[in-house]
Amino acid sequence: MAQSQRCWSHRRRACQQGLLLNIFWLTLLFPWLSSGTHGTRAADFSQQIKPLLKQRCYACHGALKQEGRLRLDTVAFMRTGGDNGTIVEPKHPDMSILIQRLRQSDPTQRMPPEGEPLSETEIRWIESWMKDGAQAPHNDQPQTDPREHWAFRPPKKSTLPNDPTPLESTESRNLNPIDLLLAVKHHQRGIQPLKLADKQTLVRRLFIDLLGIPPTPQEVGRFLNDDSRDAYEKLVEELLARPEYGERWGRHWMDIWRYSDWYGRRAVPDVMNSYPQIWRWRDWIVRSLNDDKGYDRMIMEMLAADELCPTEDDNVVATGFLVRNWYKWNYETWMKDNVEHTGKAFLGLTLNCAHCHDHKYDPVSQEDYFRFRAFFEPLELRHDRVANQADPGPFKKYVYADSYGPIQTGAIRVFDEKLDAKTFMYAAGDARNRLEGKSPVDPRPPQSLCSTDFVIEPVRLPIEATYPGLKDFVRQDELKKCATELELSRTAISDATTVVDQSLAKLDALRLQAAGSATNSNQPTLESSFAADQALILARLHAKIAFATYSLCDAKLDSLRSRIAADEAHYRNIGNSVSLDKIASRAEKKVAIASAEHAVLISEKAVVGSGFTLASSDGADASKWNAAKQESVKCEQALQSSRRILDAARTAFHTEDSNYTPLSPIYPAASTGRRLALARWIANRDNPLTARVAINHIWLRHFGQALVETTDNLGIQGKLPEHPDILDWLAVELMDHAWSIKHIHRIILNSQAYQRLSSAPLDHSNQSIDKENRSYWRANARRMEAEVVRDSVLACSGALDKTLGGPEIDPAEWFTTPRRSLYFAIHGESKMQFLDTFDGPNVCDCYRRTSTVLPQQALAMTNSELSEHFSRILAKQVSEEMIASNGGNQGNETEQRFVSEAFQRVISRQPSDSEMQFSLQFIRQQHELLTTTPVDQLRLTGIKGITPAASDVAQRARENLTISLFSHNDFVTVR
């Protein structure tokens, strides 16, 4: 009974609390509900109406644009009205033009013109506000002109503080501009930055940051033993000069530029997105970073290398940036992706938001969007031949997989095919809804961001870019191929003659035997004589084919030389072009005759062979004879067809003309120059966005947090910069130093902000002032990116293959092929599962990576083939080196040495005392466990190619310790 009373008491209190909570929410929502349904309370202009107008109306009636000379961003402007007079009628909303247009049933007259109509509740808000007198709030300020947004103004260097006294630092290194600018804010906020990290921590931090792999114990030792004042600066320079730098930072930029290998239906295979051979763009990125090519130049080459440097084959592949956006079945998709990701990657602007209507926040109109698209309108893909590789042939548009699969050779790039291409505006994102009154539009950057002197000049291309067949390597490869074929045909003639002689000798021997005594038991049978006779006939036909092959190869070589001579006359004015064209044409017709004669002989041989087969089938079962008969008829038909082709070739030979087949496809002699003009505008120091976007990305990857959190959107809806003075100082510095990315690395890496300790006590005073470390009073400890985790496991074991560049590698080989993760194929349909577990890049949109901590990651480091295999390799290496150095002695001292060496290899430092004791205890426990475990319960054999576990108990205990080190937090974390 008492228990029931207590339950009832609890229920009553719960009901009372629920009732009070409901009353609270009703009280809070009552003004909204009453104003929306009964109009008894005026809507709040600042909280309800102005945000609504901003969202739905400012794009056409705000600070940037005033259609009908109407502006709605203040009550004063609304009362003034536009071409149709005032739109607000205080006390009389039913007479208001604004309310009438909002309630229009005709979609062509209703406002706003795009999107869903305002809801009844939203319209009643405006009516109630107007009925209450349409009063303006005291802080009713006009919208700031979007063109005055911080990111649209040119960056300027802040004046650096002259007096560093507020900087409590007593470090030996001088403060650089980043530290000086941060120091003022530290002083203002009462923040005390942490000291610089020790050299042991810094060397690992630098290696992971710049190379993507940890240092070896020898590399750590050299740095620790270098007592010079500039030891750190020298290490920075050394790492920036190493080829691994381009691979590490190439992956960062590949994220931003959306690198993807081709995808579609690989099993068919059928290319739908991106394109084969795009890996050459990846290698260009790595090479350009290692060469410290200016960031401005990289942008220009990615957008317009075919116009900027059309004969530089190693650089033209940079247009892979545009190739990656290609989509087989829809040209519109290709164009939309080019606009969106050029805007996001280089300008930090969401131009795609203006696809269907004017951008609601940034000063980008829908017309600006289509003008930007017009830069890319003439685009098409083309295959270019690569030296010492087979000719990939011309690019084939929109064909099915069964007729054409991915190219296996050559290079892929873009070019302007449609020189008069027009861009038409359309409505609602549907190209079928063309806006005839506003089309076509000319290419031009967003008007609010571009000066009036923007000029596009067509580019006259070098003849080798128009006609790649003029390139010397093409000619040499073709001549070499013809010469090789001719030499092989000579050998074939000799071999065929030998076969004829052997067949004739065998037949003569059989005839001699037949002429001998009839009682001779070795007398040949009639069947063997027939077989020898058939073999001789076929051998003689084969010899004729060999001679015909030689004639064909000789004709091909003569024709090739004639075509080269005609090309020289035709394109370089070396010789009589009319005469040489005719010679080339005639030589090519000789090739056609020789080829047809060769085909006739092959057909004749097939007919003879099928006839022999048919004769031998006589008397056999019907199905076998019918099959032989069908084959014989088929061969006869092929022979007749070959003879007709030969007759046509001989007839054509007597018709004189100047036509001959070029050595490659021939492309337009000029390019529109549109993309080159765009690239120069983007990569110009007058553009306020480009350098800021670059600095923001570089800063993010050094510090783990960006100066502008929205890395792909520096526009009005993006986050404000945390340290605009640092962002602008570095942006100007980048431009002042030839857009050198390595120069920016040096400044950042040599700052105290970068070199500080990463951990502080929880009760540190800074924790309450700046817990999120926005003022960089400490370094940020960060987890390794996916590729760094895998590559570091390989590097620690000494197995990492440091070969640079080359074609994509199948992700299925992630464990068996020890190349850097950078080189494995990644695309929309497949990626390395190990990388995906550790937050690998999203190939569709990766302007900044996500970072998670999941149980699957710990399991991957403990149980994956990668960890097991390479931990055993590492343990074996360390043990063998120890045995070699101390003569094979064993004991506790040896285990200590093993632990110490393993820590240095994996974590780049010595173990702490507690870690040493715990590791030794672990080895002892493992030794005991393995010793007492029956052999049949120990997994000693390798699985899936994994190195087998050691049969020696002591060594297996070491292996188990090593694999646990790869799971150590200090391995996957950059301190």
Side-chain angles (χ1 to χ4, degrees):
M1 183 69 179
Q3 183 177 4
S4 299
Q5 289 177 341
R6 284 197 299 273
C7 291
W8 169 248
S9 177
H10 286 313
R11 290 194 196 100
R12 183 173 58 187
R13 282 198 298 271
C15 290
Q16 290 173 344
Q17 291 171 354
L19 180 61
L20 290 173
L21 185 62
N22 289 334
I23 292 173
F24 168 77
W25 282 113
L26 286 172
T27 304
L28 185 67
L29 294 175
F30 180 74
W32 289 66
L33 295 173
S34 62
S35 64
T37 56
H38 303 292
T40 58
R41 180 183 177 92
D44 187 298
F45 184 84
S46 297
Q47 298 299 318
Q48 294 170 270
I49 297 175
K50 189 155 187 170
L52 177 64
L53 296 175
K54 180 179 180 181
Q55 180 185 9
R56 301 299 305 274
C57 305
Y58 283 10
C60 296
H61 303 286
L64 187 64
K65 184 178 180 182
Q66 301 91 39
E67 288 191 2
R69 293 191 292 180
L70 174 63
R71 189 166 173 175
L72 300 177
D73 51 328
T74 69
V75 174
F77 287 141
M78 295 171 68
R79 287 174 176 268
T80 300
D83 290 342
N84 295 324
T86 183
I87 63 169
V88 174
E89 295 293 341
K91 306 294 185 179
H92 303 286
D94 54 318
M95 300 173 60
S96 165
I97 295 176
L98 174 60
I99 300 298
Q100 293 170 8
R101 294 297 294 274
L102 293 177
R103 291 191 179 280
Q104 262 285 351
S105 58
D106 183 356
T108 62
Q109 297 296 316
R110 184 175 57 229
M111 290 295 163
E114 295 177 349
E116 291 294 321
L118 264 60
S119 68
E120 183 63 25
T121 297
E122 291 168 334
I123 295 175
R124 286 182 178 177
W125 288 348
I126 300 174
E127 286 179 331
S128 67
W129 165 74
M130 206 177 294
K131 189 173 184 180
D132 198 49
Q135 298 297 315
H138 69 279
N139 60 344
D140 189 23
Q141 297 297 317
Q143 179 193 22
T144 303
D145 189 334
R147 290 167 294 194
E148 294 301 313
H149 180 62
W150 69 269
F152 303 147
R153 297 195 299 269
K156 295 180 180 179
K157 280 190 172 182
S158 302
T159 302
L160 298 176
N162 294 322
D163 181 14
T165 51
L167 313 180
E168 60 294 322
S169 172
T170 58
E171 303 291 346
S172 59
R173 301 180 190 86
N174 293 326
L175 297 177
N176 77 2
I178 293 173
D179 298 314
L180 289 170
L181 293 171
L182 285 174
V184 175
K185 297 176 183 178
H186 292 165
H187 182 65
Q188 291 172 346
R189 301 184 65 184
I191 288 176
Q192 180 70 30
L194 297 188
K195 294 181 179 181
L196 302 191
D198 59 90
K199 293 180 73 173
Q200 188 99 37
T201 300
L202 288 176
V203 65
R204 181 177 175 85
R205 185 185 297 176
L206 276 179
F207 266 80
I208 298 295
D209 197 347
L210 289 181
L211 306 186
I213 52 176
T216 65
Q218 294 75 21
E219 289 167 330
V220 173
R222 282 199 301 270
F223 179 60
L224 296 182
N225 294 328
D226 187 347
D227 295 327
S228 60
R229 291 178 60 85
D230 62 345
Y232 179 86
E233 289 79 3
K234 287 189 299 184
L235 180 60
V236 169
E237 292 301 322
E238 176 192 336
L239 299 187
L240 287 174
R242 285 176 54 166
E244 297 97 319
Y245 158 75
E247 295 175 310
R248 164 63 160 151
W249 276 80
R251 182 61 261 182
H252 286 320
W253 292 108
M254 286 162 63
D255 283 5
I256 301 161
W257 298 331
R258 296 201 327 140
Y259 178 87
S260 171
D261 294 291
W262 74 272
Y263 57 106
R265 295 179 296 173
R266 285 209 167 205
V268 176
D270 186 17
V271 182
M272 292 184 181
N273 295 84
S274 187
Y275 217 79
Q277 306 298 315
I278 200 171
W279 58 266
R280 298 183 189 278
W281 172 41
R282 174 245 291 154
D283 285 359
W284 172 89
I285 294 172
V286 173
R287 188 169 60 249
S288 297
L289 291 172
N290 278 333
D291 293 343
D292 200 19
K293 182 178 290 186
Y295 179 73
D296 58 338
R297 179 73 183 193
M298 292 180 72
I299 291 174
M300 289 192 286
E301 289 182 3
M302 282 190 284
L303 291 174
D306 58 305
E307 296 180 325
L308 180 66
C309 48
T311 59
E312 297 177 11
D313 293 345
D314 287 344
N315 289 323
V316 171
V317 294
T319 58
F321 174 78
L322 301 173
V323 174
R324 181 268 172 272
N325 296 327
W326 179 82
Y327 178 56
K328 179 176 184 176
W329 299 122
N330 194 327
Y331 186 81
E332 296 295 320
T333 299
W334 188 16
M335 294 298 101
K336 286 191 285 187
D337 281 353
N338 282 336
V339 173
E340 176 179 354
H341 297 293
T342 298
K344 288 180 176 179
F346 304 130
L347 300 171
L349 286 181
T350 54
L351 298 178
N352 52 301
C353 292
H355 180 210
C356 302
H357 48 71
D358 292 349
H359 201 295
K360 292 192 177 296
Y361 304 103
D362 296 337
V364 179
S365 66
Q366 186 183 22
E367 185 173 351
D368 285 333
Y369 174 91
F370 284 98
R371 287 186 178 278
F372 204 91
R373 167 182 164 145
F375 288 114
F376 308 106
E377 204 73 59
L379 277 182
E380 190 51 270
L381 301 188
R382 79 183 229 192
H383 300 157
D384 274 12
R385 188 168 177 173
V386 174
N388 301 315
Q389 288 190 4
D391 185 357
F395 173 71
K396 297 181 181 180
K397 301 180 186 178
Y398 315 120
V399 290
Y400 289 95
D402 56 359
S403 63
Y404 188 73
I407 57 171
Q408 303 298 324
T409 63
I412 191 72
R413 50 165 286 195
V414 302
F415 76 107
D416 275 1
E417 180 185 55
K418 305 173 283 291
L419 303 185
D420 60 347
K422 294 179 174 57
T423 299
F424 295 91
M425 295 180 63
Y426 50 79
D430 189 339
R432 295 169 296 182
N433 298 333
R434 185 177 292 181
L435 300 174
E436 300 292 350
K438 297 184 177 181
S439 301
V441 296
D442 296 325
R444 182 180 174 82
Q447 187 172 356
S448 61
L449 300 176
C450 182
S451 62
T452 56
D453 59 353
F454 183 80
V455 176
I456 298 175
E457 296 180 348
V459 177
R460 188 74 184 176
L461 299 172
I463 190 60
E464 289 83 359
T466 297
Y467 178 31
L470 288 178
K471 294 179 178 179
D472 186 64
F473 83 81
V474 174
R475 296 175 172 183
Q476 294 305 318
D477 283 357
E478 288 298 310
L479 286 168
K480 182 179 179 180
K481 184 175 78 171
C482 285
T484 300
E485 290 175 352
L486 188 61
E487 188 60 32
L488 290 174
S489 68
R490 286 194 182 99
T491 303
I493 289 174
S494 176
D495 293 342
T497 303
T498 300
V499 172
V500 170
D501 291 343
Q502 291 172 347
S503 298
L504 184 60
K506 183 176 182 179
L507 186 59
D508 287 343
L510 288 171
R511 287 171 178 167
L512 286 173
Q513 291 180 31
S517 171
T519 59
N520 188 343
S521 61
N522 292 325
Q523 183 176 349
T525 63
L526 184 62
E527 289 79 5
S528 63
S529 296
F530 285 158
D533 195 38
Q534 291 175 356
L536 179 60
I537 292 171
L538 291 173
R540 283 173 171 166
L541 279 171
H542 184 68
K544 285 185 178 181
I545 292 172
F547 278 100
T549 302
Y550 174 81
S551 297
L552 176 58
C553 292
D554 189 51
K556 284 182 177 179
L557 182 58
D558 180 63
S559 174
L560 178 59
R561 288 168 175 161
S562 299
R563 288 153 69 196
I564 291 173
D567 280 349
E568 287 295 293
H570 196 77
Y571 295 102
R572 305 190 195 279
N573 298 319
I574 303 174
N576 186 327
S577 63
V578 176
S579 173
L580 292 173
D581 285 354
K582 290 180 178 179
I583 293 173
S585 177
R586 190 171 183 82
E588 195 165 26
K589 290 174 181 176
K590 287 182 179 179
V591 173
I593 292 174
S595 179
E597 290 175 341
H598 184 264
V600 166
L601 286 171
I602 291 176
S603 296
E604 287 178 348
K605 183 182 177 183
V607 167
V608 172
S610 66
F612 291 158
T613 302
L614 182 61
S616 66
S617 300
D618 193 22
D621 64 89
S623 61
K624 185 176 180 181
W625 188 88
N626 286 333
K629 180 62 177 177
Q630 290 177 2
E631 182 63 23
S632 180
V633 170
K634 184 178 178 181
C635 291
E636 285 285 355
Q637 292 173 343
L639 176 59
Q640 296 304 316
S641 177
S642 298
R643 286 171 174 167
R644 286 192 295 270
I645 294 172
L646 175 58
D647 290 340
R650 286 170 173 166
T651 301
F653 181 76
H654 297 290
T655 303
E656 186 178 275
D657 59 49
S658 301
N659 300 322
Y660 65 92
T661 304
L663 297 180
S664 73
I666 299 177
Y667 302 99
S671 191
T672 63
R674 295 184 186 184
R675 285 176 289 109
L676 183 56
L678 171 66
R680 285 174 171 158
W681 172 76
I682 291 176
N684 191 294
R685 68 177 302 126
D686 291 336
N687 190 314
L689 293 161
T690 310
R692 283 178 170 135
V693 171
I695 294 299
N696 197 41
H697 282 300
I698 296 170
W699 186 277
L700 165 64
R701 285 151 182 87
H702 278 309
F703 287 97
Q705 60 189 34
L707 292 168
V708 182
E709 187 177 335
T710 49
T711 52
D712 61 341
N713 185 5
L714 270 61
I716 293 171
Q717 282 298 98
K719 298 291 186 180
L720 292 174
E722 195 71 42
H723 298 278
D725 50 353
I726 294 177
L727 178 63
D728 282 7
W729 197 97
L730 290 173
V732 175
E733 186 75 2
L734 175 67
M735 295 185 287
D736 285 347
H737 288 79
W739 297 77
S740 167
I741 295 175
K742 286 188 178 181
H743 177 70
I744 299 302
H745 286 315
R746 293 185 185 99
I747 295 174
I748 291 175
L749 297 174
N750 285 309
S751 70
Q752 292 187 10
Y754 178 84
Q755 298 173 53
R756 298 193 193 286
L757 288 167
S758 61
S759 59
L762 294 177
D763 59 352
H764 194 286
S765 60
N766 292 347
Q767 299 284 14
S768 61
I769 304 172
D770 182 17
K771 186 176 182 179
E772 294 183 349
N773 192 33
R774 295 297 183 182
S775 58
Y776 301 94
W777 54 272
R778 58 174 171 81
N780 290 314
R782 293 173 284 138
R783 291 178 67 83
M784 289 177 172
E785 291 98 335
E787 297 86 352
V788 179
V789 174
R790 177 182 173 275
D791 295 350
S792 294
V793 171
L794 294 171
C796 290
S797 65
L800 182 64
D801 181 350
K802 295 187 178 181
T803 303
L804 287 172
E808 62 183 69
I809 305 171
D810 189 337
E813 300 178 27
W814 73 279
F815 165 62
T816 57
T817 302
R819 294 286 304 281
R820 288 194 72 142
S821 303
L822 174 81
Y823 299 115
F824 287 80
I826 180 168
H827 50 86
E829 298 169 324
S830 176
K831 60 185 72 172
M832 193 189 300
Q833 184 59 49
F834 185 87
L835 298 188
D836 212 27
T837 302
F838 287 89
D839 306 312
N842 180 335
V843 295
C844 294
D845 190 325
C846 195
Y847 293 101
R848 66 180 302 164
R849 290 198 190 184
T850 57
S851 180
T852 60
V853 179
L854 301 172
Q856 293 90 328
Q857 296 166 350
L859 291 172
M861 294 309 298
T862 304
N863 301 321
S864 69
E865 302 99 319
L866 187 81
S867 300
E868 282 196 44
H869 179 71
F870 291 104
S871 63
R872 290 167 183 170
I873 291 177
L874 175 57
K876 182 179 180 181
Q877 288 176 351
V878 174
S879 295
E880 289 178 347
E881 290 172 6
M882 287 168 42
I883 292 173
S885 65
N886 68 5
N889 294 331
Q890 298 293 323
N892 192 57
E893 180 181 350
T894 300
E895 299 304 340
Q896 285 184 342
R897 287 188 58 196
F898 179 87
V899 172
S900 177
E901 184 65 25
F903 263 81
Q904 290 183 72
R905 296 279 190 99
V906 177
I907 307 179
S908 308
R909 64 171 174 80
Q910 291 282 358
S912 66
D913 291 342
S914 60
E915 287 173 330
M916 174 61 78
Q917 294 306 315
F918 184 85
S919 299
L920 292 174
Q921 180 183 359
F922 176 83
I923 290 176
R924 287 194 298 270
Q925 290 174 342
Q926 286 289 301
H927 191 282
E928 293 172 3
L929 178 64
L930 294 167
T931 302
T932 57
T933 301
V935 175
D936 60 349
Q937 295 182 22
L938 293 175
R939 183 161 55 89
L940 297 175
T941 57
I943 298 176
K944 299 179 182 178
I946 300 175
T947 297
S951 56
D952 177 71
V953 172
Q955 183 60 21
R956 185 159 185 181
R958 294 173 181 174
E959 291 175 350
N960 292 344
L961 172 68
T962 307
I963 197 171
S964 70
L965 287 181
F966 283 129
S967 300
H968 196 298
N969 195 42
D970 280 359
F971 173 71
V972 295
T973 304
V974 185
R975 296 292 181 187

